[in-house]
Amino acid sequence: MLEPEIASLLTNLAGEVLSDAWSAVKPRLAALLRLRGGDGDARVLGDLEDARAASAAGSPAEARERVEEALRETLGTLAAEQTSLAAEVRELLAATRDARARRLPRIPVSAVSDFENHEAELRGMDAAWEAGRGAAGPTLLFLYGPRGIGLTTLARQWLLRHRDTFGAGPQLSAVLARDADGAPPDPAAVLDTWFRLLHVPVEEVPSELAAKVAKFQQLTAEGPVFVLLEDVALASLARHLLPGSSLGVVVVTGRELMRSLVSDLHAAAFKVGPLLPEYSRRLLISSGRLAPYATSHEAEIDKAVSVCEGNPLLVRIAGAQMRFDQPYGIGEFATALSDRRPGIRLGAFDVDERSGAEIFDAGYRELCRRHPEAAEVYRYLGLHPTAEFDEDVVAAMAPDLGGRTRAKALRTLRDSSLVERVDGGMYRVISGLVHAHAAERARADLPAAEREAARRRGVGYYVDLAERTDAGLSPRYRHDPPGAYARYEPLAAEAQDVLVEALTRRREVLRAAVRAAYEAGARDPWFYDATCRLAQGLWTFYLRCGFHSDWIEVYDLGCRAALESLERGDLLMLARMQYGLGFAHLDRSGPGDPEAARGAFGQALELVGPALARPETPAREAEGWRRTWSSVLEGLGKLEDGLGRPEQALARFDAAVAALEGVDHPRGWALIALHRGPVLGRLGRYADAEAVLVTARQEFLAPPRPDRFNAAKASARMAEVLVAAGRTDEALAAFATAVGGLGGPRHGYQRAGVLLSRGDLLHARGEAGRARGDWAEAAELFRAANSARAAEAEQRLADHPDPGRSRGQGEGPDGV
């Protein structure tokens, strides 16, 4: 198996090969391939060009698979021989970052060769779109019908027909079904995901739902926008996710007619019914490649068509199963359909109980007989918390299967129309119906001990993924009794970006894994520990991406899990969970969040105080309690500062510093100083503020791992203190140091903010030309970061025109 980092890098590289960034990728990729020697580079590049052509012709999923396989066979092999390869691939990806960052989000669509029987609906959607264009808002098209009837396929085929129009704008999608507990999804979480896809800086994402909706409508106010909302549980959810453009189209799918979509949002509704027998037969023959046998096996084919009752999902699965060992598989599968052994109940899914059970059970029995390794993987997928998964979790859950065997099993499941490939190296069980059947077969065919062991292995995979990623993203303190984090090293910036992208693709899977772990804790307390470790390991990811809804939900489950396992004695983990929950509310800072943060912080302090007072507390554990005490006090200080109470904030920060006395944690002190220094400045204690921030900057730059980003933040905050103190020459020097420390595209947004402030200071000093230079560069950087703050810089330039002056750099000496 490839190293996880290399595998993730190659997955991202495959996306670049099939993107508009290919012209930038190709020459550097050719140079890497030449390291293998011979003429293999020309052959591989030719294969990649063929895959790009196949993607453009309407087969993106197959093209992505071909590209990934080619890269794994070439660069994956080379990685085992040359340890520098990961760094070189990271550099290649960094070189194409600008093209990637500006890419609009896309819904993958491809032509379905055997698409049948919905021309009337497609024409009706066209007519409704034409009538709705130019109205006050987007056109809403509502498709409804039973599960498996092909609503999403129909929506994507309509998008494919109009790809020239909607190729000029963003395409966004979300699944809005209820979760396993019956709870509807959070539209704020959906918008957070979309903001990330639209490259909105996390600093500019609002905290309140109403503000998020307004921000989204502002971002999508012009041009074509396509939104697909699948399996919508409540009509009210769609109201929060409508783009602002009158040229936009929103396609909503659901199981039943939601009248409020029609009456309140003026959606055009289309009921999608089952296929007629003639279309079912054509689809069965095409999906199973049964044309040579259509006459000789007419009765068997008609039997399958009858059982499927016009449901395209069942037809496709039946066709794929009949494909095995033609022509013998046709008759054998038809015979299996007549086997009325008890199946599963599918009535809750709006699929006929008898036909659904017959199709799925018949196909499963064929798998068990002909491809037992595929049937084994199928059962394990039923134990996975979501229908979406990656190959590595299959390896974790089925450790006795070798890599080639697992790959063969997955290919068999794909050929059987039970599993499909999705973007980013992920797979997905074809529908919730099939996933439910796999779960039923796991319950029926696996001993209880093996089921629990497989769930442990699956959750353990996600614990390892979260902890490995968090260790790579941040050197922060964790409560780590197993010593897991000691195995991992911090990663370079480019590798961190790759990991964040990989976790973003798995966002829903990770949230479901935490929930599944908590629910399993009632049977096995190990899962309660896993819940807390997962929450802790996802902290930096959620903080960096601004996924506050997930962050709060996951840490709330962590608090519950820690409470449930208190008899095992880990009070410190409970305190860390309470602290993390409080910090998530503090970082979101929406209505009610300050009170929620204060409550969670208070509960953490109630645990920490008594623990620190116990003389028998071991030294290592006492250090964890002291760090937690300091962190909670720091959080309370930030809370007071945000409420405009600097005296109370300073008292909390001072107490946080005192809590670290005797603890070897200089970085913790420096982070507190980043908040403490500006508070001292606001209280008029400029000399103290300067001294605190100078020392913090020096600590951030100390070896072995200098943190230049936070050092630059310390310089920028020192510049603000010096401006308030009237020491503008020294402030300009501090600004120059901050600007110099924020080089590179990763920190363009922060650099722009510093330049904007420095430009204001220069203008106040009468240095109009240098001020305009800073404002112009800030505007450019904000635009590159897709920031709304570009308008601030542009407004300054408009308000203070100075066409006769040349642009100044504004770079003073490095005075700090």
Side-chain angles (χ1 to χ4, degrees):
M1 184 187 301
L2 290 176
E3 289 292 327
E5 183 190 358
I6 285 289
S8 183
L9 286 168
L10 295 184
T11 294
N12 282 272
L13 184 56
E16 300 300 345
V17 168
L18 293 173
S19 78
D20 295 337
W22 171 238
S23 59
V25 173
K26 184 176 179 179
R28 296 195 62 170
L29 179 58
L32 288 180
L33 291 170
R34 289 190 198 103
L35 296 174
R36 302 177 69 236
D39 60 355
D41 60 314
R43 177 183 56 79
V44 175
L45 290 175
D47 290 344
L48 297 181
E49 291 282 11
D50 291 343
R52 284 175 53 81
S55 179
S59 302
E62 293 182 10
R64 179 62 176 259
E65 181 182 355
R66 288 169 57 184
V67 170
E68 287 197 31
E69 288 180 357
L71 294 177
R72 287 172 185 267
E73 289 176 3
T74 53
L75 297 182
T77 302
L78 188 61
E81 305 166 359
Q82 302 196 19
T83 57
S84 65
L85 182 81
E88 296 186 36
V89 176
R90 286 198 297 271
E91 290 177 7
L92 190 158
L93 289 170
T96 60
R97 179 182 291 132
D98 288 342
R100 184 170 70 247
R102 304 306 300 170
R103 192 185 309 153
L104 292 170
R106 288 284 176 262
I107 296 174
V109 294
S110 59
V112 178
S113 59
D114 49 18
F115 185 74
E116 296 283 359
N117 201 33
H118 291 305
E119 286 298 325
E121 288 85 351
L122 290 168
R123 289 194 299 270
M125 294 168 71
D126 284 343
W129 179 42
E130 187 64 34
R133 276 197 265 191
T139 301
L140 265 70
L141 308 174
F142 177 38
L143 310 178
Y144 67 100
R147 285 189 186 269
I149 210 67
L151 303 177
T152 297
T153 300
L154 176 57
R156 292 182 184 228
Q157 289 305 297
W158 189 85
L159 172 60
L160 182 65
R161 293 190 179 200
H162 300 286
R163 58 185 166 186
D164 290 342
T165 297
F166 292 104
Q171 301 168 11
L172 300 161
S173 65
V175 177
L176 301 180
R178 296 180 184 273
D179 64 20
D181 298 322
D186 181 0
V190 175
L191 288 169
D192 286 341
T193 299
W194 288 357
F195 288 141
R196 184 164 181 82
L197 292 173
L198 294 168
H199 313 294
V200 177
V202 68
E203 296 89 347
E204 296 183 11
V205 174
S207 58
E208 300 181 43
L209 176 59
K212 289 179 190 287
V213 172
K215 177 79 172 179
F216 176 63
Q217 292 190 338
Q218 178 188 19
L219 289 170
T220 57
E222 297 180 359
V225 183
F226 184 87
V227 174
L228 174 59
L229 304 178
E230 300 181 54
D231 204 11
V232 177
L234 298 170
S236 57
L237 295 171
R239 190 184 301 275
H240 299 297
L241 303 173
L242 303 181
S245 175
S246 61
L247 299 178
V249 168
V250 180
V251 178
V252 179
T253 71
R255 291 163 56 187
E256 298 176 349
L257 175 62
M258 290 183 277
R259 300 187 184 281
S260 59
L261 280 178
V262 178
S263 60
D264 299 342
L265 299 180
H266 309 293
F270 301 90
K271 183 176 182 179
V272 181
L275 298 177
L276 296 174
E278 61 180 292
Y279 293 114
S280 289
R281 196 172 196 277
R282 279 164 43 178
L283 177 57
L284 183 80
I285 291 170
S286 61
S287 61
R289 301 172 193 165
L290 306 177
Y293 315 104
T295 301
S296 59
H297 290 75
E298 182 176 2
E300 293 92 338
I301 290 173
D302 287 344
K303 167 65 176 176
V305 168
S306 174
V307 171
C308 292
E309 296 183 343
N311 187 290
L313 172 65
L314 302 184
V315 172
R316 290 181 190 280
I317 293 174
Q321 296 295 332
M322 296 174 83
R323 188 186 308 168
F324 286 132
D325 296 335
Q326 293 175 0
Y328 306 105
I330 300 173
E332 291 171 356
F333 186 79
T335 300
L337 286 179
S338 302
D339 187 341
R340 298 301 183 88
R341 283 180 283 179
I344 65 168
R345 292 192 60 83
L346 294 173
F349 296 97
D350 285 347
V351 172
D352 179 79
E353 181 179 336
R354 176 182 56 81
S355 61
E358 288 177 1
I359 291 293
F360 294 153
D361 282 349
Y364 173 71
R365 289 194 293 274
E366 291 296 293
L367 279 180
C368 290
R369 187 168 66 86
R370 303 182 185 205
H371 301 279
E373 73 287 345
E376 180 178 355
V377 170
Y378 182 74
R379 290 189 292 270
Y380 283 130
L381 293 179
L383 299 174
H384 191 263
T386 64
E388 194 160 295
F389 63 95
D390 60 42
E391 189 171 355
D392 286 339
V393 77
V394 177
M397 297 182 76
D400 294 335
L401 294 179
R404 290 186 177 181
T405 303
R406 284 193 304 272
K408 180 182 177 182
L410 286 172
R411 283 197 300 271
T412 299
L413 292 175
R414 288 168 53 206
D415 291 343
S416 304
S417 289
L418 298 172
V419 164
E420 62 183 349
R421 285 287 295 266
V422 293
D423 286 343
M426 300 287 287
Y427 292 81
R428 179 172 56 216
V429 178
I430 195 72
S431 79
L433 295 173
V434 178
H435 194 226
H437 180 263
E440 179 65 24
R441 296 324 313 166
R443 284 190 292 271
D445 297 349
L446 290 177
E450 173 55 20
R451 292 199 304 271
E452 289 306 297
R455 288 192 178 98
R456 263 200 182 211
R457 295 191 294 266
V459 170
Y461 164 78
Y462 289 115
V463 170
D464 178 70
L465 175 64
E467 292 180 339
R468 182 174 69 246
T469 301
D470 201 54
L473 296 179
S474 172
R476 68 186 182 86
Y477 168 76
R478 294 97 172 169
H479 177 47
D480 184 24
Y485 286 90
R487 300 196 298 265
Y488 308 116
E489 292 289 331
L491 297 174
E494 293 80 6
Q496 291 185 22
D497 292 342
V498 170
L499 283 178
V500 169
E501 289 177 13
L503 285 197
T504 300
R505 286 193 294 271
R506 292 161 176 80
R507 178 184 174 187
E508 290 303 317
V509 178
L510 289 165
R511 190 164 62 95
V514 178
R515 190 184 308 115
Y518 173 72
E519 292 170 353
R523 301 188 302 270
D524 180 354
W526 178 89
F527 286 101
Y528 284 141
D529 291 341
T531 303
C532 297
R533 291 175 64 184
L534 274 168
Q536 182 172 239
L538 292 170
W539 170 300
T540 309
F541 167 60
Y542 288 150
L543 174 64
R544 184 170 293 192
C545 297
F547 292 153
H548 294 101
S549 297
D550 290 13
W551 191 355
I552 290 168
E553 177 185 346
V554 162
Y555 264 84
D556 180 64
L557 290 172
C559 289
R560 296 188 204 176
L563 278 169
E564 293 287 352
S565 59
L566 271 186
E567 64 273 8
R568 304 175 75 180
D570 197 349
L571 284 169
L572 181 52
M573 181 60 86
L574 176 57
R576 297 299 300 181
M577 291 295 102
Q578 293 286 3
Y579 163 62
L581 180 61
F583 197 94
H585 280 289
L586 175 67
D587 196 68
R588 184 171 69 175
S589 193
D593 280 324
E595 293 80 4
R598 192 184 299 279
F601 287 151
Q603 291 184 54
L605 290 179
E606 289 179 4
L607 292 168
V608 177
L612 286 175
R614 290 196 298 268
E616 69 275 12
T617 301
R620 182 178 177 184
E621 184 180 335
E623 179 177 330
W625 283 110
R626 292 176 71 84
R627 286 173 179 249
T628 303
W629 181 264
S630 176
S631 296
V632 174
L633 290 170
E634 180 188 4
L636 286 167
K638 292 179 66 176
L639 179 62
E640 298 291 358
D641 191 30
L643 295 173
R645 302 165 63 179
E647 293 88 355
Q648 292 87 337
L650 183 60
R652 292 293 194 179
F653 289 140
D654 288 345
V657 172
L660 290 177
E661 185 176 353
V663 177
D664 184 19
H665 189 31
R667 176 179 169 82
W669 179 91
L671 289 169
I672 296 171
L674 272 183
H675 311 302
R676 187 167 172 260
V679 171
L680 286 166
R682 283 192 283 278
L683 291 172
R685 296 170 55 180
Y686 302 123
D688 292 339
E690 182 182 5
V692 164
L693 291 168
V694 165
T695 307
R697 182 174 185 275
Q698 292 171 346
E699 181 54 50
F700 284 129
L701 291 176
R705 295 190 182 91
D707 183 349
R708 292 181 173 81
F709 175 70
N710 274 316
K713 285 176 66 176
S715 295
R717 293 181 182 183
M718 189 189 315
E720 295 167 356
V721 168
L722 293 169
V723 169
R727 296 158 58 187
T728 57
D729 288 340
E730 295 164 274
L732 286 177
F735 273 131
T737 303
V739 169
L742 292 171
R746 293 187 79 245
H747 300 136
Y749 180 89
Q750 290 79 12
R751 179 183 173 95
V754 175
L755 287 167
L756 196 67
S757 297
R758 189 175 71 177
D760 292 346
L761 175 59
L762 288 167
H763 183 267
R765 285 166 53 101
E767 300 180 55
R770 296 177 68 195
R772 285 182 55 80
D774 276 358
W775 291 337
E777 185 178 352
E780 183 179 340
L781 288 169
F782 278 137
R783 282 193 294 269
N786 203 29
S787 168
R789 295 193 66 191
E792 294 181 41
E794 292 164 354
Q795 188 62 52
R796 284 167 170 77
L797 291 167
D799 291 343
H800 305 287
D802 191 10
R805 298 287 298 276
S806 62
R807 175 176 172 174
Q809 297 303 309
E811 294 289 343
D814 187 4
V816 184

